[in-house]
Amino acid sequence: MEPTQLLEILQVAARLKTTPRHCETAPGRRESVADHSWRIALMAMLLTPEFPEADMNKVLRMCLIHDLGEAFTGDIPTFDKTEADVQKEDDLYAAWVETLPGETRAEFSSLLAEMNALETPEAKIYKALDKLEAVISHNESDISTWLPLEYDLQLTYGAENVAFSPFLKALKEENNRVTREKIRAAGK
């Protein structure tokens, strides 16, 4: 890869540092897509011992690239995102990936296909972490920022994605306990 190519990729990725997500962070700042992607990558690294059968380096790579399409479309909360939104993001992302240098293009394309198929342990782990990080982050935000529909969504979001793993199910259950406690403490 040429230095100019690397800089061009990094310029696109840099957009994620200022692309806001729906959730606010604990101190009241809007979370960025880069914040989210970094933390699911950290989660993958920390959970490596829980998944000795998986290629966690691949999971880390999936976590790092999974939301790059949002550099072109912005983030749309899951409860507002339509199939047309998903298709537009996928199309713009795929078109950008086609402009990448050979080995990078091949790796991104391969990872994206695997992630979309959700058939491998690695893809399932990445997707579960993606969903879990969102609800963990949401619990860290002030409950006054929650929309009414988020009270139930917080408890159900990602449940099907963690079902394959006893550890991830336990993590989801613990986060749900924190959610219920937060809702109860707020008198909601």
PDB file of all heavy atoms in Angstrom, residues 101-125:
ATOM      1  N   PRO A 101      -6.753  -0.456  -2.351  1.00  0.00           N
ATOM      2  CA  PRO A 101      -5.674  -1.252  -2.973  1.00  0.00           C
ATOM      3  C   PRO A 101      -5.982  -2.741  -2.849  1.00  0.00           C
ATOM      4  O   PRO A 101      -6.665  -3.172  -1.912  1.00  0.00           O
ATOM      5  CB  PRO A 101      -4.432  -0.878  -2.165  1.00  0.00           C
ATOM      6  CG  PRO A 101      -4.798   0.246  -1.279  1.00  0.00           C
ATOM      7  CD  PRO A 101      -6.284   0.382  -1.264  1.00  0.00           C
ATOM      8  N   GLY A 102      -5.450  -3.523  -3.770  1.00  0.00           N
ATOM      9  CA  GLY A 102      -5.743  -4.945  -3.927  1.00  0.00           C
ATOM     10  C   GLY A 102      -5.902  -5.785  -2.676  1.00  0.00           C
ATOM     11  O   GLY A 102      -6.957  -6.367  -2.446  1.00  0.00           O
ATOM     12  N   GLU A 103      -4.858  -5.912  -1.852  1.00  0.00           N
ATOM     13  CA  GLU A 103      -4.942  -6.772  -0.675  1.00  0.00           C
ATOM     14  C   GLU A 103      -5.954  -6.247   0.336  1.00  0.00           C
ATOM     15  O   GLU A 103      -6.670  -7.026   0.962  1.00  0.00           O
ATOM     16  CB  GLU A 103      -3.568  -6.916  -0.017  1.00  0.00           C
ATOM     17  CG  GLU A 103      -2.620  -7.813  -0.783  1.00  0.00           C
ATOM     18  CD  GLU A 103      -1.290  -8.005  -0.053  1.00  0.00           C
ATOM     19  OE1 GLU A 103      -1.224  -7.807   1.176  1.00  0.00           O
ATOM     20  OE2 GLU A 103      -0.320  -8.391  -0.738  1.00  0.00           O
ATOM     21  N   THR A 104      -6.005  -4.947   0.491  1.00  0.00           N
ATOM     22  CA  THR A 104      -6.962  -4.346   1.423  1.00  0.00           C
ATOM     23  C   THR A 104      -8.380  -4.557   0.918  1.00  0.00           C
ATOM     24  O   THR A 104      -9.275  -4.927   1.684  1.00  0.00           O
ATOM     25  CB  THR A 104      -6.667  -2.843   1.615  1.00  0.00           C
ATOM     26  OG1 THR A 104      -5.316  -2.695   2.039  1.00  0.00           O
ATOM     27  CG2 THR A 104      -7.599  -2.215   2.624  1.00  0.00           C
ATOM     28  N   ARG A 105      -8.583  -4.339  -0.376  1.00  0.00           N
ATOM     29  CA  ARG A 105      -9.907  -4.566  -0.976  1.00  0.00           C
ATOM     30  C   ARG A 105     -10.333  -6.012  -0.776  1.00  0.00           C
ATOM     31  O   ARG A 105     -11.473  -6.289  -0.372  1.00  0.00           O
ATOM     32  CB  ARG A 105      -9.886  -4.221  -2.464  1.00  0.00           C
ATOM     33  CG  ARG A 105     -11.226  -4.466  -3.155  1.00  0.00           C
ATOM     34  CD  ARG A 105     -11.223  -4.071  -4.634  1.00  0.00           C
ATOM     35  NE  ARG A 105     -10.186  -4.754  -5.395  1.00  0.00           N
ATOM     36  CZ  ARG A 105      -9.136  -4.157  -5.970  1.00  0.00           C
ATOM     37  NH1 ARG A 105      -8.975  -2.851  -5.874  1.00  0.00           N
ATOM     38  NH2 ARG A 105      -8.259  -4.858  -6.633  1.00  0.00           N
ATOM     39  N   ALA A 106      -9.429  -6.954  -1.013  1.00  0.00           N
ATOM     40  CA  ALA A 106      -9.752  -8.372  -0.865  1.00  0.00           C
ATOM     41  C   ALA A 106     -10.107  -8.708   0.582  1.00  0.00           C
ATOM     42  O   ALA A 106     -11.082  -9.426   0.844  1.00  0.00           O
ATOM     43  CB  ALA A 106      -8.578  -9.226  -1.347  1.00  0.00           C
ATOM     44  N   GLU A 107      -9.324  -8.170   1.524  1.00  0.00           N
ATOM     45  CA  GLU A 107      -9.604  -8.467   2.938  1.00  0.00           C
ATOM     46  C   GLU A 107     -10.933  -7.865   3.371  1.00  0.00           C
ATOM     47  O   GLU A 107     -11.752  -8.548   3.999  1.00  0.00           O
ATOM     48  CB  GLU A 107      -8.486  -7.957   3.843  1.00  0.00           C
ATOM     49  CG  GLU A 107      -8.786  -8.266   5.305  1.00  0.00           C
ATOM     50  CD  GLU A 107      -7.738  -7.799   6.288  1.00  0.00           C
ATOM     51  OE1 GLU A 107      -6.911  -6.928   5.948  1.00  0.00           O
ATOM     52  OE2 GLU A 107      -7.771  -8.299   7.427  1.00  0.00           O
ATOM     53  N   PHE A 108     -11.169  -6.597   3.060  1.00  0.00           N
ATOM     54  CA  PHE A 108     -12.427  -5.968   3.444  1.00  0.00           C
ATOM     55  C   PHE A 108     -13.609  -6.711   2.819  1.00  0.00           C
ATOM     56  O   PHE A 108     -14.598  -6.972   3.492  1.00  0.00           O
ATOM     57  CB  PHE A 108     -12.453  -4.492   3.014  1.00  0.00           C
ATOM     58  CG  PHE A 108     -11.800  -3.540   3.975  1.00  0.00           C
ATOM     59  CD1 PHE A 108     -10.594  -3.825   4.583  1.00  0.00           C
ATOM     60  CD2 PHE A 108     -12.388  -2.327   4.247  1.00  0.00           C
ATOM     61  CE1 PHE A 108      -9.990  -2.933   5.458  1.00  0.00           C
ATOM     62  CE2 PHE A 108     -11.804  -1.415   5.114  1.00  0.00           C
ATOM     63  CZ  PHE A 108     -10.602  -1.719   5.715  1.00  0.00           C
ATOM     64  N   SER A 109     -13.506  -7.047   1.543  1.00  0.00           N
ATOM     65  CA  SER A 109     -14.598  -7.745   0.861  1.00  0.00           C
ATOM     66  C   SER A 109     -14.876  -9.093   1.509  1.00  0.00           C
ATOM     67  O   SER A 109     -16.036  -9.458   1.729  1.00  0.00           O
ATOM     68  CB  SER A 109     -14.268  -7.932  -0.619  1.00  0.00           C
ATOM     69  OG  SER A 109     -14.185  -6.683  -1.264  1.00  0.00           O
ATOM     70  N   SER A 110     -13.820  -9.820   1.812  1.00  0.00           N
ATOM     71  CA  SER A 110     -13.963 -11.123   2.443  1.00  0.00           C
ATOM     72  C   SER A 110     -14.592 -11.000   3.832  1.00  0.00           C
ATOM     73  O   SER A 110     -15.521 -11.741   4.179  1.00  0.00           O
ATOM     74  CB  SER A 110     -12.592 -11.796   2.535  1.00  0.00           C
ATOM     75  OG  SER A 110     -12.674 -12.999   3.251  1.00  0.00           O
ATOM     76  N   LEU A 111     -14.091 -10.058   4.621  1.00  0.00           N
ATOM     77  CA  LEU A 111     -14.646  -9.865   5.960  1.00  0.00           C
ATOM     78  C   LEU A 111     -16.106  -9.435   5.899  1.00  0.00           C
ATOM     79  O   LEU A 111     -16.943  -9.949   6.659  1.00  0.00           O
ATOM     80  CB  LEU A 111     -13.829  -8.823   6.735  1.00  0.00           C
ATOM     81  CG  LEU A 111     -12.446  -9.259   7.210  1.00  0.00           C
ATOM     82  CD1 LEU A 111     -11.672  -8.067   7.773  1.00  0.00           C
ATOM     83  CD2 LEU A 111     -12.546 -10.372   8.239  1.00  0.00           C
ATOM     84  N   LEU A 112     -16.426  -8.510   5.002  1.00  0.00           N
ATOM     85  CA  LEU A 112     -17.812  -8.040   4.890  1.00  0.00           C
ATOM     86  C   LEU A 112     -18.753  -9.172   4.489  1.00  0.00           C
ATOM     87  O   LEU A 112     -19.855  -9.293   5.036  1.00  0.00           O
ATOM     88  CB  LEU A 112     -17.912  -6.887   3.897  1.00  0.00           C
ATOM     89  CG  LEU A 112     -17.313  -5.569   4.378  1.00  0.00           C
ATOM     90  CD1 LEU A 112     -17.189  -4.580   3.218  1.00  0.00           C
ATOM     91  CD2 LEU A 112     -18.139  -4.978   5.502  1.00  0.00           C
ATOM     92  N   ALA A 113     -18.323 -10.010   3.559  1.00  0.00           N
ATOM     93  CA  ALA A 113     -19.161 -11.145   3.142  1.00  0.00           C
ATOM     94  C   ALA A 113     -19.388 -12.090   4.320  1.00  0.00           C
ATOM     95  O   ALA A 113     -20.511 -12.559   4.552  1.00  0.00           O
ATOM     96  CB  ALA A 113     -18.512 -11.876   1.973  1.00  0.00           C
ATOM     97  N   GLU A 114     -18.332 -12.362   5.066  1.00  0.00           N
ATOM     98  CA  GLU A 114     -18.442 -13.252   6.228  1.00  0.00           C
ATOM     99  C   GLU A 114     -19.343 -12.633   7.303  1.00  0.00           C
ATOM    100  O   GLU A 114     -20.171 -13.320   7.905  1.00  0.00           O
ATOM    101  CB  GLU A 114     -17.052 -13.532   6.784  1.00  0.00           C
ATOM    102  CG  GLU A 114     -17.022 -14.551   7.898  1.00  0.00           C
ATOM    103  CD  GLU A 114     -15.614 -14.931   8.324  1.00  0.00           C
ATOM    104  OE1 GLU A 114     -14.644 -14.715   7.560  1.00  0.00           O
ATOM    105  OE2 GLU A 114     -15.478 -15.447   9.442  1.00  0.00           O
ATOM    106  N   MET A 115     -19.173 -11.339   7.541  1.00  0.00           N
ATOM    107  CA  MET A 115     -19.983 -10.655   8.547  1.00  0.00           C
ATOM    108  C   MET A 115     -21.462 -10.673   8.158  1.00  0.00           C
ATOM    109  O   MET A 115     -22.331 -10.911   9.005  1.00  0.00           O
ATOM    110  CB  MET A 115     -19.498  -9.209   8.703  1.00  0.00           C
ATOM    111  CG  MET A 115     -18.124  -9.103   9.349  1.00  0.00           C
ATOM    112  SD  MET A 115     -17.276  -7.540   9.005  1.00  0.00           S
ATOM    113  CE  MET A 115     -18.344  -6.354   9.758  1.00  0.00           C
ATOM    114  N   ASN A 116     -21.740 -10.427   6.895  1.00  0.00           N
ATOM    115  CA  ASN A 116     -23.130 -10.396   6.438  1.00  0.00           C
ATOM    116  C   ASN A 116     -23.784 -11.773   6.470  1.00  0.00           C
ATOM    117  O   ASN A 116     -24.978 -11.888   6.745  1.00  0.00           O
ATOM    118  CB  ASN A 116     -23.217  -9.801   5.034  1.00  0.00           C
ATOM    119  CG  ASN A 116     -22.970  -8.310   5.031  1.00  0.00           C
ATOM    120  OD1 ASN A 116     -23.176  -7.629   6.035  1.00  0.00           O
ATOM    121  ND2 ASN A 116     -22.510  -7.780   3.912  1.00  0.00           N
ATOM    122  N   ALA A 117     -23.008 -12.822   6.221  1.00  0.00           N
ATOM    123  CA  ALA A 117     -23.561 -14.177   6.240  1.00  0.00           C
ATOM    124  C   ALA A 117     -23.862 -14.649   7.663  1.00  0.00           C
ATOM    125  O   ALA A 117     -24.771 -15.474   7.863  1.00  0.00           O
ATOM    126  CB  ALA A 117     -22.591 -15.141   5.555  1.00  0.00           C
ATOM    127  N   LEU A 118     -23.131 -14.149   8.637  1.00  0.00           N
ATOM    128  CA  LEU A 118     -23.318 -14.515  10.046  1.00  0.00           C
ATOM    129  C   LEU A 118     -23.334 -16.029  10.276  1.00  0.00           C
ATOM    130  O   LEU A 118     -24.129 -16.526  11.068  1.00  0.00           O
ATOM    131  CB  LEU A 118     -24.606 -13.896  10.602  1.00  0.00           C
ATOM    132  CG  LEU A 118     -24.546 -12.463  11.056  1.00  0.00           C
ATOM    133  CD1 LEU A 118     -25.908 -11.971  11.515  1.00  0.00           C
ATOM    134  CD2 LEU A 118     -23.522 -12.255  12.157  1.00  0.00           C
ATOM    135  N   GLU A 119     -22.440 -16.748   9.601  1.00  0.00           N
ATOM    136  CA  GLU A 119     -22.401 -18.201   9.741  1.00  0.00           C
ATOM    137  C   GLU A 119     -21.205 -18.691  10.545  1.00  0.00           C
ATOM    138  O   GLU A 119     -21.271 -19.767  11.126  1.00  0.00           O
ATOM    139  CB  GLU A 119     -22.401 -18.851   8.357  1.00  0.00           C
ATOM    140  CG  GLU A 119     -23.690 -18.598   7.610  1.00  0.00           C
ATOM    141  CD  GLU A 119     -23.644 -19.074   6.166  1.00  0.00           C
ATOM    142  OE1 GLU A 119     -22.556 -19.432   5.666  1.00  0.00           O
ATOM    143  OE2 GLU A 119     -24.715 -19.054   5.531  1.00  0.00           O
ATOM    144  N   THR A 120     -20.129 -17.942  10.579  1.00  0.00           N
ATOM    145  CA  THR A 120     -18.921 -18.387  11.269  1.00  0.00           C
ATOM    146  C   THR A 120     -18.958 -17.941  12.734  1.00  0.00           C
ATOM    147  O   THR A 120     -19.636 -16.973  13.086  1.00  0.00           O
ATOM    148  CB  THR A 120     -17.655 -17.807  10.611  1.00  0.00           C
ATOM    149  OG1 THR A 120     -17.675 -16.377  10.755  1.00  0.00           O
ATOM    150  CG2 THR A 120     -17.574 -18.189   9.138  1.00  0.00           C
ATOM    151  N   PRO A 121     -18.201 -18.631  13.583  1.00  0.00           N
ATOM    152  CA  PRO A 121     -18.113 -18.179  14.982  1.00  0.00           C
ATOM    153  C   PRO A 121     -17.639 -16.726  15.077  1.00  0.00           C
ATOM    154  O   PRO A 121     -18.152 -15.952  15.897  1.00  0.00           O
ATOM    155  CB  PRO A 121     -17.100 -19.133  15.614  1.00  0.00           C
ATOM    156  CG  PRO A 121     -17.108 -20.345  14.760  1.00  0.00           C
ATOM    157  CD  PRO A 121     -17.430 -19.867  13.372  1.00  0.00           C
ATOM    158  N   GLU A 122     -16.685 -16.363  14.235  1.00  0.00           N
ATOM    159  CA  GLU A 122     -16.143 -15.008  14.276  1.00  0.00           C
ATOM    160  C   GLU A 122     -17.205 -13.963  13.954  1.00  0.00           C
ATOM    161  O   GLU A 122     -17.307 -12.936  14.638  1.00  0.00           O
ATOM    162  CB  GLU A 122     -14.950 -14.886  13.317  1.00  0.00           C
ATOM    163  CG  GLU A 122     -13.733 -15.665  13.738  1.00  0.00           C
ATOM    164  CD  GLU A 122     -13.786 -17.168  13.432  1.00  0.00           C
ATOM    165  OE1 GLU A 122     -14.711 -17.618  12.713  1.00  0.00           O
ATOM    166  OE2 GLU A 122     -12.893 -17.895  13.905  1.00  0.00           O
ATOM    167  N   ALA A 123     -17.984 -14.212  12.926  1.00  0.00           N
ATOM    168  CA  ALA A 123     -19.037 -13.263  12.553  1.00  0.00           C
ATOM    169  C   ALA A 123     -20.101 -13.174  13.642  1.00  0.00           C
ATOM    170  O   ALA A 123     -20.597 -12.082  13.947  1.00  0.00           O
ATOM    171  CB  ALA A 123     -19.666 -13.666  11.222  1.00  0.00           C
ATOM    172  N   LYS A 124     -20.438 -14.293  14.241  1.00  0.00           N
ATOM    173  CA  LYS A 124     -21.435 -14.294  15.311  1.00  0.00           C
ATOM    174  C   LYS A 124     -20.922 -13.537  16.534  1.00  0.00           C
ATOM    175  O   LYS A 124     -21.681 -12.793  17.172  1.00  0.00           O
ATOM    176  CB  LYS A 124     -21.808 -15.725  15.684  1.00  0.00           C
ATOM    177  CG  LYS A 124     -22.600 -16.417  14.599  1.00  0.00           C
ATOM    178  CD  LYS A 124     -22.864 -17.869  14.952  1.00  0.00           C
ATOM    179  CE  LYS A 124     -23.584 -18.567  13.804  1.00  0.00           C
ATOM    180  NZ  LYS A 124     -23.811 -19.986  14.082  1.00  0.00           N
ATOM    181  N   ILE A 125     -19.647 -13.715  16.856  1.00  0.00           N
ATOM    182  CA  ILE A 125     -19.067 -12.997  17.997  1.00  0.00           C
ATOM    183  C   ILE A 125     -19.069 -11.503  17.726  1.00  0.00           C
ATOM    184  O   ILE A 125     -19.495 -10.701  18.567  1.00  0.00           O
ATOM    185  CB  ILE A 125     -17.641 -13.511  18.307  1.00  0.00           C
ATOM    186  CG1 ILE A 125     -17.692 -14.951  18.809  1.00  0.00           C
ATOM    187  CG2 ILE A 125     -16.943 -12.597  19.326  1.00  0.00           C
ATOM    188  CD1 ILE A 125     -16.332 -15.653  18.835  1.00  0.00           C
TER     189      ILE A 125
END
